[in-house]
Amino acid sequence: MSVDTNTSGPSASDYIVHHLTHWQNKPQTEIVDFSVFNIDSLFFSVLMGVVGCFLIWRAARSATSGVPGRFQAAVEVLLEMVDAQAKSIVHNANSRKMVAPMALTIFVWVFLLNALDLLPLDVLPAIWAWAYGAAGLDPHHAYLRIVPTADLSVTMGLSVSVLLVCLVYNVRIKGAGGWAHELVVAPFGTSKNPLWAVLLGLMNFSMQMIEFVAKTVSHGMRLFGNMYAGELVFMLIALLGGAWAFSFEPSGLILLLLHVVAGWAWAVFHILIITLQAFVFMMLTLVYIGQAHDAH
Protein backbone atom coordinates (compact mmCIF):
# COMPACT_ATOMS: atom_id res chain seq x y z
CA MET A 1 0.00 0.00 0.00
CA SER A 2 1.37 3.39 -0.94
CA VAL A 3 1.60 6.08 1.70
CA ASP A 4 0.53 9.65 1.00
CA THR A 5 3.45 11.66 2.29
CA ASN A 6 1.49 14.89 1.90
CA THR A 7 -0.51 14.05 5.04
CA SER A 8 2.58 14.11 7.20
CA GLY A 9 3.27 17.78 6.59
CA PRO A 10 5.30 19.86 4.19
CA SER A 11 8.44 18.42 2.67
CA ALA A 12 11.88 19.73 3.59
CA SER A 13 12.21 21.51 0.26
CA ASP A 14 8.78 23.14 0.66
CA TYR A 15 9.74 24.31 4.15
CA ILE A 16 13.02 25.87 2.99
CA VAL A 17 11.55 27.46 -0.13
CA HIS A 18 8.74 29.00 1.94
CA HIS A 19 11.21 30.47 4.43
CA LEU A 20 13.41 31.83 1.64
CA THR A 21 10.54 33.64 -0.09
CA HIS A 22 10.17 37.35 0.61
CA TRP A 23 7.02 39.31 1.37
CA GLN A 24 6.86 41.57 -1.66
CA ASN A 25 4.64 44.35 -2.91
CA LYS A 26 3.65 42.29 -5.93
CA PRO A 27 4.28 38.77 -7.26
CA GLN A 28 7.84 38.15 -8.35
CA THR A 29 8.47 37.39 -12.01
CA GLU A 30 11.45 35.95 -13.85
CA ILE A 31 11.99 39.33 -15.53
CA VAL A 32 14.06 41.86 -13.60
CA ASP A 33 11.60 44.39 -12.24
CA PHE A 34 12.94 47.23 -10.13
CA SER A 35 9.43 48.09 -8.94
CA VAL A 36 9.36 44.90 -6.82
CA PHE A 37 10.31 45.57 -3.19
CA ASN A 38 11.02 43.12 -0.39
CA ILE A 39 8.73 44.67 2.19
CA ASP A 40 9.98 42.44 5.01
CA SER A 41 13.61 43.48 4.45
CA LEU A 42 12.67 47.15 4.36
CA PHE A 43 10.51 46.86 7.48
CA PHE A 44 13.08 45.07 9.63
CA SER A 45 15.90 47.30 8.34
CA VAL A 46 14.02 50.44 9.38
CA LEU A 47 12.98 48.83 12.67
CA MET A 48 16.56 47.89 13.58
CA GLY A 49 17.73 51.33 12.51
CA VAL A 50 15.28 52.90 14.95
CA VAL A 51 16.32 50.46 17.69
CA GLY A 52 20.00 51.26 17.09
CA CYS A 53 19.38 55.02 17.24
CA PHE A 54 17.37 54.57 20.44
CA LEU A 55 20.13 52.56 22.11
CA ILE A 56 22.82 55.11 21.24
CA TRP A 57 20.53 57.98 22.29
CA ARG A 58 19.80 56.27 25.58
CA ALA A 59 23.50 55.74 26.23
CA ALA A 60 24.26 59.40 25.47
CA ARG A 61 21.40 60.62 27.64
CA SER A 62 22.32 58.48 30.65
CA ALA A 63 26.07 59.12 30.37
CA THR A 64 27.69 60.18 33.61
CA SER A 65 31.17 61.31 34.58
CA GLY A 66 31.11 58.98 37.58
CA VAL A 67 31.35 55.21 37.59
CA PRO A 68 29.57 54.09 34.41
CA GLY A 69 27.01 51.32 34.36
CA ARG A 70 27.45 48.22 32.24
CA PHE A 71 25.51 49.60 29.29
CA GLN A 72 27.39 52.92 29.29
CA ALA A 73 30.71 51.09 29.63
CA ALA A 74 29.89 48.82 26.69
CA VAL A 75 28.95 51.79 24.51
CA GLU A 76 32.11 53.67 25.53
CA VAL A 77 34.26 50.67 24.62
CA LEU A 78 32.50 50.49 21.25
CA LEU A 79 32.99 54.22 20.63
CA GLU A 80 36.69 54.02 21.52
CA MET A 81 37.17 51.03 19.23
CA VAL A 82 35.49 52.69 16.26
CA ASP A 83 37.31 55.99 16.86
CA ALA A 84 40.68 54.21 17.07
CA GLN A 85 40.05 52.34 13.84
CA ALA A 86 38.92 55.52 12.08
CA LYS A 87 42.05 57.40 13.21
CA SER A 88 44.35 54.62 12.03
CA ILE A 89 42.80 54.46 8.55
CA VAL A 90 41.39 57.92 7.74
CA HIS A 91 44.09 60.47 8.57
CA ASN A 92 42.08 63.56 7.67
CA ALA A 93 40.67 64.98 10.92
CA ASN A 94 37.88 66.89 9.17
CA SER A 95 36.75 63.77 7.32
CA ARG A 96 36.68 61.75 10.53
CA LYS A 97 34.02 64.08 11.93
CA MET A 98 31.58 62.35 9.58
CA VAL A 99 33.35 59.07 8.84
CA ALA A 100 33.69 57.93 12.47
CA PRO A 101 29.97 58.38 13.33
CA MET A 102 29.09 56.72 10.02
CA ALA A 103 31.32 53.75 10.86
CA LEU A 104 29.65 53.47 14.28
CA THR A 105 26.22 53.59 12.64
CA ILE A 106 27.20 50.89 10.15
CA PHE A 107 28.55 48.58 12.86
CA VAL A 108 25.53 48.93 15.16
CA TRP A 109 23.00 48.70 12.32
CA VAL A 110 24.58 45.69 10.61
CA PHE A 111 25.05 43.94 13.96
CA LEU A 112 21.38 44.39 14.84
CA LEU A 113 20.30 43.23 11.37
CA ASN A 114 22.50 40.15 11.73
CA ALA A 115 21.24 39.50 15.27
CA LEU A 116 17.72 38.92 13.97
CA ASP A 117 19.04 35.55 12.80
CA LEU A 118 19.14 34.48 16.46
CA LEU A 119 15.36 34.73 16.84
CA PRO A 120 13.48 31.40 16.73
CA LEU A 121 13.10 30.59 13.05
CA ASP A 122 9.36 29.91 12.94
CA VAL A 123 7.96 32.28 15.58
CA LEU A 124 7.49 35.48 13.59
CA PRO A 125 6.52 33.67 10.34
CA ALA A 126 3.93 31.67 12.33
CA ILE A 127 2.49 34.87 13.83
CA TRP A 128 2.43 36.42 10.37
CA ALA A 129 0.65 33.35 8.94
CA TRP A 130 -1.91 33.55 11.75
CA ALA A 131 -2.52 37.24 10.96
CA TYR A 132 -2.93 36.33 7.30
CA GLY A 133 -5.52 33.71 8.17
CA ALA A 134 -7.33 36.09 10.53
CA ALA A 135 -7.59 38.57 7.66
CA GLY A 136 -9.27 35.93 5.49
CA LEU A 137 -6.20 35.33 3.32
CA ASP A 138 -4.43 32.09 2.53
CA PRO A 139 -1.83 31.59 5.29
CA HIS A 140 0.27 29.45 2.93
CA HIS A 141 1.09 32.66 1.06
CA ALA A 142 2.21 34.49 4.21
CA TYR A 143 5.88 34.91 3.37
CA LEU A 144 8.23 36.59 5.81
CA ARG A 145 12.03 36.74 6.03
CA ILE A 146 13.32 38.57 9.07
CA VAL A 147 17.07 38.81 8.36
CA PRO A 148 17.66 41.74 5.98
CA THR A 149 21.38 41.00 5.60
CA ALA A 150 20.45 37.61 4.11
CA ASP A 151 18.81 39.62 1.32
CA LEU A 152 21.25 40.50 -1.47
CA SER A 153 19.36 43.68 -2.33
CA VAL A 154 19.98 45.03 1.19
CA THR A 155 23.69 44.18 1.39
CA MET A 156 24.34 45.48 -2.13
CA GLY A 157 22.38 48.62 -1.29
CA LEU A 158 24.69 49.16 1.69
CA SER A 159 27.82 48.55 -0.39
CA VAL A 160 26.64 50.87 -3.19
CA SER A 161 25.99 53.55 -0.55
CA VAL A 162 29.58 53.14 0.63
CA LEU A 163 30.75 53.45 -2.99
CA LEU A 164 28.87 56.74 -3.36
CA VAL A 165 30.48 58.06 -0.18
CA CYS A 166 33.90 57.08 -1.56
CA LEU A 167 33.20 58.90 -4.83
CA VAL A 168 32.16 62.01 -2.92
CA TYR A 169 35.40 61.97 -0.92
CA ASN A 170 37.46 61.37 -4.06
CA VAL A 171 36.07 64.59 -5.51
CA ARG A 172 36.13 66.46 -2.22
CA ILE A 173 39.75 65.64 -1.32
CA LYS A 174 41.35 65.61 -4.79
CA GLY A 175 39.03 67.92 -6.69
CA ALA A 176 37.10 66.90 -9.79
CA GLY A 177 40.10 67.54 -12.03
CA GLY A 178 42.56 65.78 -9.74
CA TRP A 179 40.38 62.69 -9.47
CA ALA A 180 39.74 62.63 -13.21
CA HIS A 181 43.49 62.83 -13.75
CA GLU A 182 44.04 59.96 -11.31
CA LEU A 183 41.53 57.79 -13.19
CA VAL A 184 43.67 57.86 -16.33
CA VAL A 185 47.20 57.82 -14.85
CA ALA A 186 46.93 55.20 -12.06
CA PRO A 187 48.05 52.51 -11.57
CA PHE A 188 50.27 52.19 -14.69
CA GLY A 189 51.26 55.83 -15.09
CA THR A 190 51.39 57.63 -18.43
CA SER A 191 53.79 58.30 -21.29
CA LYS A 192 55.05 61.28 -23.26
CA ASN A 193 54.22 59.44 -26.45
CA PRO A 194 50.65 60.47 -27.43
CA LEU A 195 49.67 57.00 -28.64
CA TRP A 196 51.02 55.27 -25.56
CA ALA A 197 49.45 57.94 -23.36
CA VAL A 198 46.01 57.18 -24.85
CA LEU A 199 46.48 53.42 -24.53
CA LEU A 200 47.71 53.67 -20.95
CA GLY A 201 44.90 56.09 -20.13
CA LEU A 202 42.28 53.64 -21.40
CA MET A 203 43.95 50.79 -19.52
CA ASN A 204 44.19 52.80 -16.32
CA PHE A 205 40.57 53.91 -16.55
CA SER A 206 39.43 50.32 -17.13
CA MET A 207 41.40 49.09 -14.13
CA GLN A 208 39.96 51.84 -11.95
CA MET A 209 36.40 50.90 -12.96
CA ILE A 210 37.09 47.22 -12.36
CA GLU A 211 38.48 48.08 -8.92
CA PHE A 212 35.40 50.10 -7.96
CA VAL A 213 33.03 47.36 -9.16
CA ALA A 214 35.02 44.55 -7.54
CA LYS A 215 35.22 46.31 -4.17
CA THR A 216 31.51 47.12 -4.19
CA VAL A 217 30.37 43.65 -5.23
CA SER A 218 32.69 41.83 -2.81
CA HIS A 219 31.70 44.21 0.00
CA GLY A 220 28.01 43.34 -0.32
CA MET A 221 28.41 39.70 -1.33
CA ARG A 222 30.65 38.86 1.65
CA LEU A 223 28.02 39.94 4.18
CA PHE A 224 25.17 38.37 2.20
CA GLY A 225 26.94 35.05 1.71
CA ASN A 226 27.78 34.59 5.37
CA MET A 227 24.33 35.52 6.65
CA TYR A 228 22.52 33.52 3.96
CA ALA A 229 24.57 30.44 4.81
CA GLY A 230 23.87 30.93 8.51
CA GLU A 231 20.16 31.19 7.81
CA LEU A 232 20.24 27.93 5.83
CA VAL A 233 22.02 26.14 8.69
CA PHE A 234 19.30 27.27 11.11
CA MET A 235 16.68 25.91 8.69
CA LEU A 236 18.40 22.54 8.47
CA ILE A 237 18.59 22.37 12.26
CA ALA A 238 14.89 23.24 12.47
CA LEU A 239 14.13 20.38 10.08
CA LEU A 240 15.62 17.97 12.62
CA GLY A 241 12.97 19.00 15.11
CA GLY A 242 10.32 18.92 12.42
CA ALA A 243 11.30 15.38 11.43
CA TRP A 244 10.84 14.28 15.04
CA ALA A 245 7.52 16.12 15.39
CA PHE A 246 6.05 14.36 12.34
CA SER A 247 7.52 10.91 13.00
CA PHE A 248 5.75 10.14 16.32
CA GLU A 249 8.27 7.38 16.95
CA PRO A 250 10.36 6.91 20.12
CA SER A 251 13.45 6.39 17.96
CA GLY A 252 12.92 9.87 16.59
CA LEU A 253 13.85 11.37 19.96
CA ILE A 254 17.46 11.36 18.79
CA LEU A 255 16.41 13.92 16.17
CA LEU A 256 14.98 16.12 18.89
CA LEU A 257 18.21 15.84 20.86
CA LEU A 258 20.25 16.76 17.78
CA HIS A 259 17.88 19.65 17.11
CA VAL A 260 18.37 21.09 20.61
CA VAL A 261 22.13 20.54 20.85
CA ALA A 262 22.91 21.65 17.29
CA GLY A 263 20.60 24.66 17.59
CA TRP A 264 22.22 25.80 20.83
CA ALA A 265 25.76 25.24 19.54
CA TRP A 266 25.16 27.03 16.24
CA ALA A 267 23.42 29.95 17.98
CA VAL A 268 26.41 30.42 20.31
CA PHE A 269 28.85 30.23 17.40
CA HIS A 270 26.61 32.52 15.33
CA ILE A 271 26.99 35.29 17.91
CA LEU A 272 30.65 35.45 16.89
CA ILE A 273 29.71 35.41 13.20
CA ILE A 274 27.20 38.26 13.37
CA THR A 275 29.66 40.39 15.36
CA LEU A 276 32.57 39.60 13.08
CA GLN A 277 30.60 40.33 9.92
CA ALA A 278 29.46 43.69 11.27
CA PHE A 279 33.06 44.53 12.19
CA VAL A 280 34.41 43.43 8.79
CA PHE A 281 31.78 45.45 6.94
CA MET A 282 32.62 48.53 9.03
CA MET A 283 36.38 48.06 8.56
CA LEU A 284 36.08 47.67 4.79
CA THR A 285 34.01 50.84 4.73
CA LEU A 286 36.78 52.70 6.55
CA VAL A 287 39.45 51.20 4.28
CA TYR A 288 37.64 52.19 1.09
CA ILE A 289 37.00 55.72 2.36
CA GLY A 290 40.64 55.93 3.48
CA GLN A 291 41.75 54.90 -0.02
CA ALA A 292 39.63 57.72 -1.43
CA HIS A 293 41.86 60.13 0.52
CA ASP A 294 45.10 58.69 -0.88
CA ALA A 295 46.61 60.20 -4.01
CA HIS A 296 48.41 58.02 -6.55
Side-chain angles (χ1 to χ4, degrees), residues 14 162 203 223 249-250 292:
D14 292 336
V162 173
M203 186 177 297
L223 178 60
E249 296 179 1

Side-chain angles (χ1 to χ4, degrees), residues 115-173:
L116 289 172
D117 212 8
L118 298 175
L119 294 176
L121 184 65
D122 291 302
V123 171
L124 291 182
I127 295 174
W128 182 239
W130 174 85
Y132 240 65
L137 302 173
D138 185 1
H140 292 92
H141 294 152
Y143 302 115
L144 186 70
R145 292 185 66 181
I146 64 173
V147 186
T149 43
D151 180 2
L152 184 58
S153 61
V154 172
T155 59
M156 289 305 300
L158 291 172
S159 64
V160 169
S161 299
V162 173
L163 171 65
L164 295 177
V165 172
C166 292
L167 297 182
V168 169
Y169 272 106
N170 269 299
V171 175
R172 181 178 178 181
I173 298 299

Side-chain angles (χ1 to χ4, degrees), residues 19 29 41 74 98 100 135 140 145 155 190 193 201 226 251 263-264 273:
H19 274 281
T29 62
S41 294
M98 194 197 85
H140 292 92
R145 292 185 66 181
T155 59
T190 186
N193 186 295
N226 282 277
S251 60
W264 177 85
I273 294 177

Side-chain angles (χ1 to χ4, degrees), residues 80-93:
E80 291 175 359
M81 181 272 292
V82 173
D83 185 62
Q85 297 298 333
K87 287 181 178 179
S88 65
I89 297 174
V90 181
H91 304 295
N92 188 305

